[in-house]
Amino acid sequence: MIDSTGTETTVGPLLEADLAAAASVSLLQVVADPVRWSVLQQLVHGSACVCSLQEHLPIASNLLSYHLKVLRESGLVTTSRRGRWIDYALADDALAHMRSSLPGLPAPGRVRP
């Protein structure tokens, strides 16, 4: 890490823990939104375009696009282009990513001591 004077500094264990905690809280805030949670529930069943998602969510299309952007930026959702349509899908590691954000749960595949 480089401080404000341009000097390289190391990140201590306490600061690393704080950064990890902040990232976890941020991800949990993303999924805590009822609309985003509903989108994730729809995408568990497979990829979908905005028009398919819109059928299940009673919100304006611009708000749905905003929520999809937040999910995409958090790494929980991926996109792929199909002609002029964009399909949204749950990221391969989305469930593991959410699980690792919960306090007290080991990452998948890691045994708790």
Side-chain angles (χ1 to χ4, degrees), residues 96 99 105-112:
R99 179 185 168 85
L105 293 177
R110 199 169 77 199
V111 178
R112 183 180 258 166

Side-chain angles (χ1 to χ4, degrees), residues 20-21 23-25 27-28 93-108 110:
S24 292
V25 168
L27 182 69
L28 292 173
D93 64 346
L95 297 177
H97 195 49
M98 286 187 283
R99 179 185 168 85
S100 69
S101 294
L102 296 172
L105 293 177
R110 199 169 77 199

Side-chain angles (χ1 to χ4, degrees), residues 12-110:
L14 185 58
L15 183 56
E16 286 179 10
D18 289 343
L19 293 173
S24 292
V25 168
S26 179
L27 182 69
L28 292 173
Q29 287 174 330
V30 167
V31 299
D33 182 89
V35 171
R36 292 191 284 264
W37 185 256
S38 295
V39 169
L40 292 172
Q41 285 181 311
Q42 293 299 315
L43 294 178
V44 164
H45 303 292
S47 64
C49 64
V50 173
C51 55
S52 296
L53 293 170
Q54 188 75 52
E55 293 173 6
H56 302 283
L57 298 163
I59 62 171
S61 59
N62 63 328
L63 290 176
L64 179 56
S65 293
Y66 166 76
H67 288 291
L68 287 166
K69 175 185 161 214
V70 171
L71 288 167
R72 193 176 65 249
E73 289 175 349
S74 70
L76 296 174
V77 169
T78 60
T79 60
S80 61
R81 187 167 284 281
R82 181 177 41 99
R84 28 178 274 208
W85 303 103
I86 296 177
D87 290 327
Y88 293 86
L90 206 56
D92 292 337
D93 64 346
L95 297 177
H97 195 49
M98 286 187 283
R99 179 185 168 85
S100 69
S101 294
L102 296 172
L105 293 177
R110 199 169 77 199

